[in-house]
């Protein structure tokens, strides 16, 4: 059973001027991240802007990542979509092209527990031989009862929990404790150390596109019992994250990756491109809080 173990980039998607994915830049980014001891890749998720992309583009992105990775680390495909048929197609595609698992958000406007449960059941069944992971972010329904209602799904392997509530995180983790292979990964970069302390097997996040080594090190420090050092590194990384949020994270991500030498183009709406003046102001602030050292780890 695939686990979301270790530090995983929620892989961003470089875009070409015409709007489609820039597969050449994507390969460069993947090769760079593979040098950083990452645990795997989470493809076409929120950071990858998958829900804003055409289905054929999402399929191309996954195929390209799998080809570049060539089995060196696991690859999980986020297949969530507003139209259930699109999500089912993407799940089947993930299985057919050799992904190690698939995942989905709760689609927008799914506001009743019964509807969300029906969606997850049908989606998991679209690729029954592939591990399936729930993606909990900005949930529209109570999460713990939802998880408990889905525990009979054979290929449900756990999930990605993006949020600061570590009490709920642990309750969701405990809900599946009797299942073989059940695990929960954290999706809020700013809470990585806290999530490790309450039992996360891994963390998946946006800022791991440019400073994954910092999170690899945080996890190692916790494992060594050096909690104070882990928290100091967490706070240093959080200062970078806070600056980027203040400057509009969606556009800022493309700026910092370009700063590292990979031109990923521009984000897709509703994310907005950062203007040059704001980008330079942000980069000055990032340098002052140790961005380059974190990116080099």
């Amino acid at each position: 059973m695939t686990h979301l173990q270790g530090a995983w980039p929620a892989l961003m998607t470089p875009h070409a001027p015409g709007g489609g994915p820039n597969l050449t830049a994507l390969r460069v980014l993947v090769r760079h991240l593979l040098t950083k001891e990452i645990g795997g890749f989470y493809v076409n998720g929120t950071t990858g802007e998958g829900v804003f992309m055409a289905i054929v583009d999402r399929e191309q992105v996954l195929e390209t990542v799998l080809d570049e990775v060539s089995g060196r680390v696991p690859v999980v495909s986020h297949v969530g979509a507003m139209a259930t048929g699109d999500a089912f197609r993407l799940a089947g595609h993930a299985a057919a092209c050799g992904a190690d698992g698939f995942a989905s958000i709760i689609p927008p406007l799914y506001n009743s527990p019964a509807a969300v449960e029906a969606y997850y059941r049908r989606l998991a069944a679209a690729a029954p031989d592939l591990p399936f992971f729930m993606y909990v972010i900005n949930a529209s329904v109570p999460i713990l009862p939802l998880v408990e209602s889905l525990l009979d799904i054979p290929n449900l392997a756990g999930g990605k929990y993006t949020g600061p509530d570590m009490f709920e995180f642990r309750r969701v983790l405990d809900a599946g404790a009797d299942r073989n292979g059940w695990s929960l990964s954290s999706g809020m970069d700013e809470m990585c150390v806290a999530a490790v302390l309450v039992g996360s097997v891994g963390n998946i996040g946006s800022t791991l596109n440019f400073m994954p080594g910092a999170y690899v090190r945080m996890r190692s420090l916790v494992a060594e019992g050096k909690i104070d050092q882990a928290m100091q590194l967490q706070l240093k990384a959080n200062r970078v994250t806070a600056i980027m949020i203040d400057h509009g994270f969606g556009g800022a991500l493309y700026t910092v990756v370009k700063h590292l030498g990979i031109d990923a183009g521009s984000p897709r709406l509703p994310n907005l491109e950062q203007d040059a003046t704001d980008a330079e102001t942000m980069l000055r602030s990032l340098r002052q809080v140790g961005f380059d050292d974190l990116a080099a780890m």
Side-chain angles (χ1 to χ4, degrees):
M1 182 72 75
T2 299
H3 290 275
L4 303 177
Q5 189 166 355
W8 290 48
L11 190 63
M12 66 184 296
T13 303
H15 299 303
N22 182 335
L23 301 179
T24 299
L26 178 63
R27 287 183 181 275
V28 173
L29 177 60
V30 169
R31 285 197 295 270
H32 168 69
L33 293 170
L34 282 169
T35 68
K36 299 292 186 175
E37 299 183 33
I38 60 168
F41 288 102
Y42 191 88
V43 180
N44 287 326
T46 305
T47 305
E49 300 172 304
V51 294
F52 311 133
M53 294 165 58
I55 298 303
V56 65
D57 289 347
R58 295 174 72 170
E59 291 175 341
Q60 276 192 318
V61 166
L62 178 61
E63 290 166 7
T64 300
V65 173
L66 285 166
D67 182 67
E68 193 64 44
V69 168
S70 192
R72 284 174 283 183
V73 295
V75 176
V76 167
S77 175
H78 174 259
V79 304
M82 189 64 187
T84 55
D86 290 345
F88 300 163
R89 169 178 162 174
L90 288 166
H93 175 261
C97 66
D100 297 282
F102 68 113
S104 178
I105 56 168
I106 297 171
L109 305 183
Y110 275 61
N111 295 320
S112 83
V116 176
E117 180 180 347
Y119 168 79
Y120 273 141
R121 286 188 177 280
R122 295 175 193 175
L123 180 56
D129 297 324
L130 202 61
F132 173 61
F133 300 94
M134 300 172 62
Y135 178 7
V136 177
I137 181 172
N138 299 326
S140 55
V141 299
I143 289 303
L144 185 60
L146 174 65
V147 171
E148 292 171 339
S149 74
L150 297 172
L151 288 173
D152 62 311
I153 295 175
N155 59 327
L156 180 63
K160 173 186 176 184
Y161 180 100
T162 299
D165 189 339
M166 294 296 103
F167 176 63
E168 183 176 63
F169 183 102
R170 184 68 212 194
R171 294 188 77 193
V172 171
L173 179 60
D174 288 342
D178 294 334
R179 289 177 58 94
N180 183 33
W182 178 261
S183 63
L184 198 62
S185 184
S186 64
M188 190 171 186
D189 297 355
E190 304 92 315
M191 298 293 289
C192 176
V193 170
V196 176
L197 291 171
V198 298
S200 74
V201 297
N203 61 293
I204 305 169
S206 305
T207 64
L208 280 81
N209 281 281
F210 56 85
M211 53 178 181
Y215 298 93
V216 172
R217 183 61 178 149
M218 283 178 215
R219 302 189 67 84
S220 296
L221 287 167
V222 174
E224 295 165 12
K226 300 174 181 177
I227 310 302
D228 289 344
Q229 291 182 43
M231 277 305 305
Q232 287 305 309
L233 185 54
Q234 175 79 81
L235 294 173
K236 188 173 182 180
N238 286 359
R239 286 192 281 273
V240 167
T241 303
I243 290 169
M244 292 178 64
I245 290 171
D246 288 344
H247 287 266
F249 191 90
L253 177 58
Y254 284 79
T255 296
V256 298
V257 170
K258 185 174 182 179
H259 173 68
L260 296 178
I262 301 171
D263 189 349
S266 303
R268 295 192 177 213
L269 288 170
N271 293 321
L272 299 175
E273 185 174 6
Q274 193 173 29
D275 69 59
T277 300
D278 187 59
E280 186 52 44
T281 299
M282 181 191 74
L283 288 172
R284 282 198 300 270
S285 297
L286 289 175
R287 292 187 194 102
Q288 291 170 0
V289 299
F291 170 86
D292 291 317
D293 290 340
L294 290 167
M297 291 183 71

